[in-house]
Amino acid sequence: MRATAKAHTNIALIKYWGKRNEELILPTNNSLSITLDGFYTETTVHFNEELTEDVFILNDQVISGVPYNQVTAYLDLFRDHVQKPTLFAEVNSINKVPTAAGFASSASGFAALAAASARALDLQLTDQQLSRFMRRGSGSACRSIYGGFVEWEKGSQEDGSDSYAIQIAPKDHWDVRVAAVVLNAKEKDLSSRKGMKRTVDTSIFYDAWLENVPKDLKEIKEGIQARDFEKVGTIAEANCMKMHATTLGAQPPFTYWQNVTMDVMQTIWKMRSDGTLAYFTIDAGPNVKVLYLPDNEEKILQTLRNIDGVSEVIVSKVGEGISYL
Ligand code: DP6
C-alpha cells in the first residue's frame, strides 16, 4: 500500500477564476494551461493499518497545523472511497516549486498526492476519475495530470462527474518557454481561493469575464494547434488582464499587482513594440510569467534580469504529466 508519484505544476493561459461549488471545487469557466517541467512535487503515500493518524512530512520536516489538516481532509476522500475510515497514511513530499517563484505549489502538490494515494490503494482509476480526485484538492491541480497543453472542462453536472482535464496537445507539440520572473515583493496576502470567492460574490465585472472566456478559449486552442505564437500570446495576455480587472470591480476592491509587477508588464510591451515577441501572464500574486519562443530566449532573459526589483528569472519548458517512480 505504498506508491510514489511526481507531478509538475502548470500555468494557466486561460484562467480558472471562480467556483460554482466550493466544496466540490467546480469552476464557473473552462481554463487552459501549460504543464511546466521546471517545477514539481514528488510524493510517496504509504497507507498503513498500524497508524492511528496521518503523518505528513514535507521537505524532510514533520508538518502540523493548517497544511497538515488540508492533507488529512484530502486523504479522507480516499478513505471514503475505499470505505476504510481508519486507514491512515504517511505522506512524504519533496516540493521543487520555489514558493518565491509565485507558483502555487498546490497544483503539483495535490496532483502528486492524488496519484500516489490512488496507486497505493491500487484503485485502477481512469484518467478522468484521477483528474476529478486532483480537482478536489485544488482546482488547478486537475490540469497537472497531463503534460503539454491541457484544458479543464468545467462540466455542468452538480456532482462534478463531468469536470476534469483533457489534453489539447502533448509536450512535444510545441517548444514554448515560460520564464518565472521572481520579484522582490512581499507574498500575496489574499489567497487565490479567497480572491476568486470575493470576485464571484461582489465584482460588477464578473459577468463580463464569464461571457468572454468561451471566445478566448476557442481562439487560443486554434492558435495552439496552428503553433501561432502571436495569437496564443495575445489571447493569454488579454485573458490575464481581464481576470485581474475583475478584482478591481470587487467589494472591497483589490489587486495582486505591485509596482514592480507593472514595471515587468511595461518592459514586455516595450520589447514587443521593438519587435521581440514576448507575452506575460499573472496569477493570484505579484509575480509575472513570460511566454516566449526559444529563439528569443537570451535577449528576453537578459532584459528581464535587468529590471530593478527582479530578484531571479527561472526558465521552464513544457513539461510531462503524472509519472510514477
Ligand atoms: C489564478 O487552483 O489555487 O492561478 O481551487 O481554490 O485551490 P483552489 O484555487 P487554485 O486557483 C488558481 C487560480 C489561478 C488561475 C489558474 O491557475 O487557472
Side-chain angles (χ1 to χ4, degrees), residues 146-309:
Y146 296 120
F149 301 78
V150 184
E151 181 177 356
W152 172 13
E153 303 276 339
K154 68 183 166 78
S156 57
Q157 299 296 324
E158 279 187 16
D159 64 358
S161 53
D162 58 351
S163 184
Y164 48 76
I166 54 171
Q167 191 183 51
I168 298 300
K171 172 179 180 281
D172 296 332
H173 172 69
W174 198 13
D175 183 11
V176 289
R177 305 276 163 92
V178 177
V181 184
V182 184
L183 310 179
N184 294 321
K186 96 175 170 21
E187 272 292 292
K188 62 180 171 184
D189 42 22
L190 192 67
S191 67
S192 40
R193 193 163 288 192
K194 288 187 180 144
M196 73 172 82
K197 177 161 171 48
R198 189 192 296 174
T199 306
V200 173
D201 290 347
T202 67
S203 178
I204 57 163
F205 303 142
Y206 194 68
D207 287 345
W209 160 258
L210 283 185
E211 242 167 70
N212 243 272
V213 172
K215 182 168 180 283
D216 282 355
L217 199 72
K218 178 177 172 284
E219 289 178 2
I220 208 165
K221 285 197 280 191
E222 290 165 5
I224 291 168
Q225 291 311 341
R227 298 187 193 87
D228 181 341
F229 186 67
E230 197 169 345
K231 181 167 181 171
V232 168
T234 303
I235 298 166
E237 189 175 294
N239 184 268
C240 153
M241 296 298 271
K242 286 179 266 193
M243 173 206 131
H244 285 271
T246 65
T247 71
L248 302 180
Q251 202 49 254
F254 65 104
T255 181
Y256 288 107
W257 298 353
Q258 301 199 6
N259 295 356
V260 52
T261 310
M262 290 222 54
D263 291 342
V264 177
M265 291 160 66
Q266 277 160 352
T267 304
I268 302 287
W269 288 332
K270 171 88 174 53
M271 269 199 272
R272 276 219 302 277
S273 69
D274 294 343
T276 303
L277 285 192
Y279 298 85
F280 62 78
T281 187
I282 305 164
D283 281 340
N287 293 300
V288 183
K289 319 304 182 302
V290 180
L291 272 136
Y292 59 89
L293 293 173
D295 282 356
N296 293 324
E297 182 154 80
E298 222 179 285
K299 184 172 173 194
I300 290 172
L301 295 184
Q302 201 182 11
T303 307
L304 293 172
R305 286 183 176 129
N306 280 337
I307 301 171
D308 263 356

Side-chain angles (χ1 to χ4, degrees), residues 2-258:
R2 183 206 298 262
T4 302
K6 177 176 175 180
H8 291 90
T9 192
N10 65 74
I11 179 75
L13 304 184
I14 304 296
K15 304 295 184 190
Y16 147 49
W17 196 239
K19 297 182 181 67
R20 61 187 164 92
N21 179 320
E22 278 158 36
E23 199 215 323
L24 296 176
I25 310 199
L26 297 176
T28 49
N29 65 269
N30 287 24
S31 53
L32 187 145
S33 58
I34 302 180
T35 304
L36 299 177
D37 78 340
F39 310 105
Y40 62 89
T41 305
E42 232 173 68
T43 296
T44 301
V45 176
H46 182 192
F47 284 97
N48 182 344
E49 310 272 7
E50 279 162 26
L51 289 174
T52 53
E53 58 179 12
D54 294 318
V55 179
F56 177 33
I57 299 162
L58 176 62
N59 297 337
D60 295 322
Q61 297 223 332
V62 178
I63 303 293
S64 59
V66 174
Y68 172 81
N69 295 338
Q70 284 171 341
V71 167
T72 45
Y74 185 70
L75 290 174
D76 284 343
L77 298 176
F78 285 92
R79 283 187 274 268
D80 286 354
H81 187 86
V82 296
Q83 298 184 335
K84 288 188 179 163
T86 58
L87 181 58
F88 296 104
E90 181 177 312
V91 174
N92 203 319
S93 268
I94 303 290
N95 201 358
K96 298 279 187 192
V97 184
T99 28
F103 283 108
S105 56
S106 60
S108 56
F110 280 108
L113 180 59
S117 301
R119 171 92 31 141
L121 293 167
D122 197 22
L123 294 185
Q124 313 281 344
L125 302 179
T126 63
D127 280 5
Q128 292 181 1
Q129 288 172 314
L130 182 57
S131 177
R132 289 196 313 244
F133 265 111
M134 292 168 173
R135 190 199 77 219
R136 298 287 303 274
S138 186
S140 52
C142 80
R143 298 185 305 237
S144 280
I145 186 170
Y146 296 120
F149 301 78
V150 184
E151 181 177 356
W152 172 13
E153 303 276 339
K154 68 183 166 78
S156 57
Q157 299 296 324
E158 279 187 16
D159 64 358
S161 53
D162 58 351
S163 184
Y164 48 76
I166 54 171
Q167 191 183 51
I168 298 300
K171 172 179 180 281
D172 296 332
H173 172 69
W174 198 13
D175 183 11
V176 289
R177 305 276 163 92
V178 177
V181 184
V182 184
L183 310 179
N184 294 321
K186 96 175 170 21
E187 272 292 292
K188 62 180 171 184
D189 42 22
L190 192 67
S191 67
S192 40
R193 193 163 288 192
K194 288 187 180 144
M196 73 172 82
K197 177 161 171 48
R198 189 192 296 174
T199 306
V200 173
D201 290 347
T202 67
S203 178
I204 57 163
F205 303 142
Y206 194 68
D207 287 345
W209 160 258
L210 283 185
E211 242 167 70
N212 243 272
V213 172
K215 182 168 180 283
D216 282 355
L217 199 72
K218 178 177 172 284
E219 289 178 2
I220 208 165
K221 285 197 280 191
E222 290 165 5
I224 291 168
Q225 291 311 341
R227 298 187 193 87
D228 181 341
F229 186 67
E230 197 169 345
K231 181 167 181 171
V232 168
T234 303
I235 298 166
E237 189 175 294
N239 184 268
C240 153
M241 296 298 271
K242 286 179 266 193
M243 173 206 131
H244 285 271
T246 65
T247 71
L248 302 180
Q251 202 49 254
F254 65 104
T255 181
Y256 288 107
W257 298 353
Q258 301 199 6

